[in-house]
């Protein structure tokens, strides 16, 4: 079966590789245009575009699937579209242009967490079970019938970045299995069941930690927003980034946002019990050990996060 692969970030690359390993003919790769990266804002191809070039695959670069782009897609002779985090909507005209439509790999157990940041919201919400789904793409936001799912148990220190790396690999297997079933004429998509939840793209403000909230809630949020947009607080009117944290239920006498050395550990108060700061990044500096940061202060007890 001839496949058009659509994707942009690094989490989509394992799916492209897996489809080729499974023997599918990837006739073209659709990805977003080169974007400026780094301090010098150098135009850089997406991770999927870079992989496609390495593999010698034809590439279509577009920020939107216009009628002209749809014509390019049809001209490839693709029978189905496989889409993983492309980063743009597929209009109905393009959905109808391929014999088997478009199959989307989404990193949630639909209808949970429809949208751009499913893993991030799942971790912030404290979901115990994570996973991925393949479904028939429709004009609605992740509303199509589901072909298959895979699940895994969330781990205590999971961040969204770590989970996405795992799901990118296991989800790639699911996507290849789904396309194989479609090619063999034995795939069955079933309507989504349950109450949908939404997972919109995170903003910088989503990473702000409110120390009046319970420690467990803050721990979940920090893991969900890592690596992007990142957890942070305010110190002396500047953004102060927070890296890894650990729950400290043994420390219960600290006011929210107040810091203290407990043994050699830097602990901050919350609305319930303490959180140990393992890594921090002061404004204008690199991420460092919280202990190293604290050693450079005259009096940690006088430091309060806003």
């Amino acid at each position: 079966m001839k496949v058009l692969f659509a994707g942009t970030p690094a989490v989509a690359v394992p799916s492209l590789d897996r489809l080729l390993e499974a023997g599918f003919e990837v006739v073209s790769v659709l990805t977003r245009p080169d974007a400026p990266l780094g301090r010098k804002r150098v135009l850089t191809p997406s991770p999927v575009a870079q992989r496609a070039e390495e593999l010698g695959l034809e590439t279509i670069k577009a920020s939107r699937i216009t009628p002209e782009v749809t014509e390019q897609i049809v001209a490839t002779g693709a029978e189905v579209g496989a889409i993983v985090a492309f980063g743009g909507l597929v209009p109905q005209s393009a959905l109808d242009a391929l014999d088997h439509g478009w199959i989307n790999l989404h990193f949630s157990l639909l209808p949970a967490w429809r949208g751009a940041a499913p893993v991030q919201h799942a971790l912030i919400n404290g979901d115990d079970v994570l996973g991925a789904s393949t479904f028939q793409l429709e004009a609605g936001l992740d509303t199509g019938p589901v072909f298959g799912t895979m699940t895994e148990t969330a781990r205590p220190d999971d961040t969204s970045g770590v989970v996405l790396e795992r799901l990118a690999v296991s989800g790639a297997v699911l996507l290849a299995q789904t396309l194989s079933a479609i090619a063999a004429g034995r795939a069955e998509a079933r309507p989504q069941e349950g109450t949908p939840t939404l997972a919109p793209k995170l903003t910088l403000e989503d990473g702000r930690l409110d120390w009046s909230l319970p420690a467990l809630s803050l721990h979940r949020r920090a893991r969900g927003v890592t690596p992007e947009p990142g957890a942070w607080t305010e110190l002396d009117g500047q953004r102060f980034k927070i890296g890894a944290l650990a729950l400290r239920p043994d420390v219960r006498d600290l006011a929210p946002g107040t810091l203290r050395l407990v043994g050699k550990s830097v602990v901050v108060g919350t609305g319930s019990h303490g959180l140990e700061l393992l890594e921090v990044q002061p404004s204008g500096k690199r991420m460092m050990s919280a202990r190293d940061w604290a050693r450079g202060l005259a009096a940690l007890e006088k430091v309060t996060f806003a």
Side-chain angles (χ1 to χ4, degrees):
M1 187 161 62
K2 295 181 178 181
V3 178
L4 168 84
F5 183 81
T8 299
V11 292
V13 172
S15 287
L16 175 58
D17 287 341
R18 185 71 186 192
L19 293 183
L20 291 167
E21 291 167 6
F24 290 99
E25 183 183 353
V26 178
V27 292
S28 188
V29 171
L30 172 66
T31 190
R32 293 180 67 82
D34 299 358
L37 293 181
R39 292 184 177 181
K40 295 185 178 180
R41 311 301 287 167
V42 177
L43 279 178
T44 306
S46 73
V48 167
Q50 293 178 45
R51 183 59 179 148
E53 182 178 358
E54 292 170 358
L55 295 167
L57 298 174
E58 172 191 313
T59 303
I60 301 171
K61 296 183 179 182
S63 56
R64 293 174 53 249
I65 301 179
T66 62
E68 292 74 21
V69 172
T70 300
E71 288 181 7
Q72 288 181 269
I73 291 170
V74 171
T76 66
E79 300 166 85
V80 66
I83 183 167
V84 185
F86 167 63
L89 297 176
V90 181
Q92 191 64 50
S93 57
L95 293 175
D96 296 337
L98 304 181
D99 293 344
H100 296 288
W102 296 61
I103 311 304
N104 194 169
L105 172 64
H106 184 72
F107 298 117
S108 84
L109 301 174
L110 293 170
W113 309 123
R114 295 173 176 171
V119 170
Q120 293 89 330
H121 283 275
L123 289 178
I124 291 170
N125 189 64
D127 289 5
D128 293 324
V129 179
L130 309 171
S133 307
T134 49
F135 70 97
Q136 189 78 47
L137 197 62
E138 298 179 340
L141 179 64
D142 302 332
T143 58
V146 173
F147 287 102
T149 61
M150 54 76 51
T151 63
E152 64 165 56
T153 302
R155 303 173 190 177
D157 294 319
D158 270 341
T159 65
S160 61
V162 169
V163 173
L164 280 168
E165 286 181 2
R166 293 202 305 264
L167 292 181
V169 175
S170 53
V173 176
L174 175 64
L175 180 61
Q177 291 172 339
T178 299
L179 291 186
S180 293
I182 291 172
R186 51 181 174 80
E188 180 182 354
R190 298 183 178 182
Q192 296 181 27
E193 297 180 355
T195 303
T197 49
L198 299 180
K201 183 178 179 179
L202 297 180
T203 67
L204 181 62
E205 194 60 29
D206 287 310
R208 182 168 190 156
L209 300 181
D210 178 353
W211 302 107
S212 68
L213 295 176
L216 182 58
S217 175
L218 292 168
H219 192 246
R220 288 170 173 171
R221 178 165 294 276
R223 292 186 293 113
V225 299
T226 299
E228 292 293 338
W232 61 281
T233 186
E234 273 194 19
L235 181 60
D236 297 330
Q238 294 185 310
R239 189 154 58 94
F240 186 92
K241 295 182 181 180
I242 304 294
L245 295 167
L247 297 170
R248 288 296 301 265
D250 57 313
V251 181
R252 294 184 175 272
D253 61 342
L254 272 177
T258 302
L259 279 75
R260 178 191 298 164
L261 273 178
V262 180
K264 294 184 178 180
S265 302
V266 182
V267 179
V268 58
T270 74
S272 57
H273 57 71
L275 274 175
E276 182 177 347
L277 302 177
L278 301 177
E279 296 176 317
V280 298
Q281 184 177 356
S283 179
K285 297 185 178 180
R286 294 187 177 186
M287 190 69 72
M288 66 177 69
S289 159
R291 293 181 183 181
D292 290 344
W293 168 71
R295 276 197 288 268
L297 301 177
L300 182 66
E301 291 75 10
K302 295 182 179 181
V303 177
T304 302
F305 290 149

